[in-house]
Amino acid sequence: MSSRQPESTTATDEAAPEPRNVLRILSGLHAGASRDLAEQEMILVGSGDDCDIVLADQGVARHHALINLVGGMSSLRALDAPLRVDGLPLLPGDPVELRDLQRIELGQAAIAYGPEHDPAWATLLPDAAAIADASRPPGVGVRKLPLVAALAVLSLASLAIFAAVMPQHEEPVDPRSRLQAMISEFHVVDGQVVEDAEGRPVLRGTVRDSSVRESIEARIAAGGFEAAIDLRAGDKIADDVSEVLRTQGINAKTRYLGNGVVEASGRFEDMDAMREAASSRAMDDVPGVTKVLVKNFVPADQVKRTAAGPTEAAARSEPARIVSVVRGEEPHLVAVDGTEYPVGSDVPGHGRLVSIGQSAHVISADGTLHKVVPRPVTAEEVEAAAEKQAALDAAAAGVAAAGDDAAARPRRVARSGAPGGQDRQHEQ
């Protein structure tokens, strides 16, 4: 009798899982991050928000590279900027075949893809590219794809980029409204949106300094609309004022204070020369300047004065309303009451009128140069003045009528020295 031993079997039906492919960031701000890859996939890498792998490192372009995995074959294409594969440069253009665990450098970042548990990952250190260069046999590097495969990959890459970057149902951009919003956002003084000869919108005005101007330029470029700017920066205006003073032998430190006011500080022993330079035609031609504020560090008792400044009465009196500036052989200002103020006269409430060019300038009692801005009479003011004059004329007519009645009565004049020591009334 024989006994049969039970046969022992081992379960071998379950196959080992296939290794997954992953893309890992080797160096840069996002070093250590990884992403699982599908068998067929396109990965857009760059700094743009629409990329599959977003890298914020310096030197990474918006759409820097496209990795294409299809049919067991992988390829790499540089898009907006060149990159390096195992230390070799790759310029934007045709796609190249990509092997597992090749180091791809984009700006200051580096990535690679391959099987998740491949031990060769340990060799991909920041300086591995230099080691690979030294040990690479001649002729080993990136290999161009066959023409047909390259065309197929290029077509798929173009389609992927088109789908990734083209906006869907995006509202059209209105350049004028965008520029108009920037006026308040960036505090553009005297800001306005006009059109140039080609019909292109132009933002004009004055900003605090060049950094604000550069921010506006960057905003327009990022907005993707066509526009131009004609902006004066405050620091450039201050430089122009300093240059005008320098050409007239005056060294001053200038600073833009805002709203067209430029401060000129220094040691000015001859204030009359300073006033003459600040009110010169050259200064008047500097765009964006409405007032030059002089800050003199020379004590008042040491300041040289060759001409009398504006009278205190003129500075304290009620400001005269200037309605027009008359230029020509006899330039002068005209006040609302018809008074004319030629150059050199004291304008009540303003100061001494020192020049009339493109603008009129006065110097106040404290030595500050001001620009006189005329305020013409409006139609409403003319109508109100006419009504007031009519009322005055009516009142004057009533007084005149009462005076005529009094004149018709006998006029009595008191005379002294009558006989008997009494006064005598005499009718005339």
Side-chain angles (χ1 to χ4, degrees):
M1 189 173 179
S2 63
S3 61
R4 299 180 60 186
Q5 297 294 332
E7 296 181 358
S8 62
T9 60
T10 304
T12 58
D13 295 338
E14 296 183 1
E18 296 183 0
R20 295 182 304 174
N21 285 332
V22 295
L23 186 148
R24 287 176 173 162
I25 302 176
L26 306 177
S27 63
L29 299 176
H30 312 280
S34 63
R35 180 183 187 275
D36 293 339
L37 300 178
E39 291 184 2
Q40 296 191 13
E41 187 174 5
M42 287 186 179
I43 305 101
L44 183 62
V45 185
S47 60
D49 294 336
D50 54 347
C51 294
D52 301 301
I53 304 294
V54 180
L55 301 175
D57 300 83
Q58 185 176 355
V60 178
R62 179 178 175 82
H63 299 134
H64 205 132
L66 181 70
I67 300 174
N68 184 29
L69 308 176
V70 58
M73 181 177 64
S74 59
S75 64
L76 172 68
R77 181 173 179 232
L79 300 177
D80 293 346
L83 47 82
R84 300 180 71 86
V85 180
D86 282 346
L88 295 179
L90 177 62
L91 301 178
D94 296 336
V96 297
E97 184 179 358
L98 188 64
R99 302 190 306 274
D100 291 349
L101 300 179
Q102 282 190 295
R103 183 183 180 87
I104 305 169
E105 299 178 15
L106 310 90
Q108 295 187 357
I111 61 175
Y113 93 97
E116 181 180 14
H117 300 295
D118 194 320
W121 281 109
T123 65
L124 294 178
L125 299 174
D127 57 347
I131 300 174
D133 286 340
S135 60
R136 183 186 297 111
V140 177
V142 295
R143 182 163 62 90
K144 291 293 185 73
L145 292 173
L147 179 59
V148 175
L151 292 176
V153 173
L154 183 59
S155 300
L156 292 173
S158 300
L159 181 61
I161 296 173
F162 180 82
V165 304
M166 287 298 293
Q168 300 295 328
H169 306 290
E170 186 175 345
E171 294 294 331
V173 177
D174 182 10
R176 293 187 65 90
S177 61
R178 292 286 187 90
L179 295 179
Q180 199 68 40
M182 293 181 190
I183 293 178
S184 58
E185 179 181 355
F186 292 97
H187 305 288
V188 181
V189 179
D190 298 330
Q192 56 178 332
V193 180
V194 298
E195 289 187 355
D196 59 13
E198 300 177 356
R200 182 176 53 175
V202 180
L203 176 59
R204 288 181 178 173
T206 303
V207 293
R208 186 185 69 253
D209 51 36
S210 298
S211 64
V212 177
R213 177 190 173 96
E214 293 172 358
S215 299
I216 294 176
E217 290 177 340
R219 179 69 62 83
I220 293 176
F225 59 92
E226 186 177 1
I229 61 173
D230 182 15
L231 297 173
R232 291 277 294 166
D235 49 1
K236 299 299 182 184
I237 295 176
D239 290 343
D240 291 344
V241 171
S242 177
E243 181 64 18
V244 171
L245 296 176
R246 188 189 65 80
T247 57
Q248 302 191 39
I250 299 175
N251 294 322
K253 182 179 180 181
T254 55
R255 181 167 62 103
Y256 186 75
L257 303 180
N259 296 324
V261 180
V262 176
E263 178 190 78
S265 60
R267 297 183 60 83
F268 312 121
E269 296 182 355
D270 191 345
M271 279 299 296
D272 293 311
M274 180 63 183
R275 293 192 187 99
E276 183 178 352
S279 61
S280 63
R281 179 61 181 272
M283 187 69 72
D284 194 44
D285 290 339
V286 176
V289 178
T290 59
K291 178 180 177 181
V292 177
L293 182 62
V294 179
K295 189 175 183 180
N296 193 1
F297 296 120
V298 176
D301 57 349
Q302 300 179 16
V303 174
K304 175 184 177 183
R305 297 181 183 272
T306 58
T311 61
E312 295 183 2
R316 291 196 306 264
S317 60
E318 185 71 19
R321 177 176 175 178
I322 304 301
V323 296
S324 66
V325 179
V326 178
R327 299 172 178 84
E329 296 182 358
E330 298 181 358
H332 59 274
L333 304 180
V334 180
V336 68
D337 60 358
T339 304
E340 298 181 355
Y341 297 97
V343 175
S345 60
D346 292 331
V347 183
H350 295 275
R352 174 69 55 80
L353 180 62
V354 293
S355 68
I356 295 179
Q358 185 177 354
S359 302
H361 293 91
V362 297
I363 294 180
S364 59
D366 60 358
T368 304
L369 183 71
H370 299 270
K371 182 181 292 186
V372 178
V373 179
R375 291 191 300 139
V377 179
T378 63
E380 291 79 4
E381 291 175 324
V382 172
E383 183 178 356
E387 293 177 355
K388 182 178 180 180
Q389 187 62 41
L392 293 176
D393 292 343
V399 172
D404 293 342
D405 293 341
R409 295 192 296 269
R411 181 182 178 189
R412 298 180 181 274
V413 180
R415 297 185 181 221
S416 59
Q422 297 180 352
D423 290 341
R424 193 163 52 118
Q425 299 291 334
H426 175 69
E427 291 185 359
Q428 293 184 348

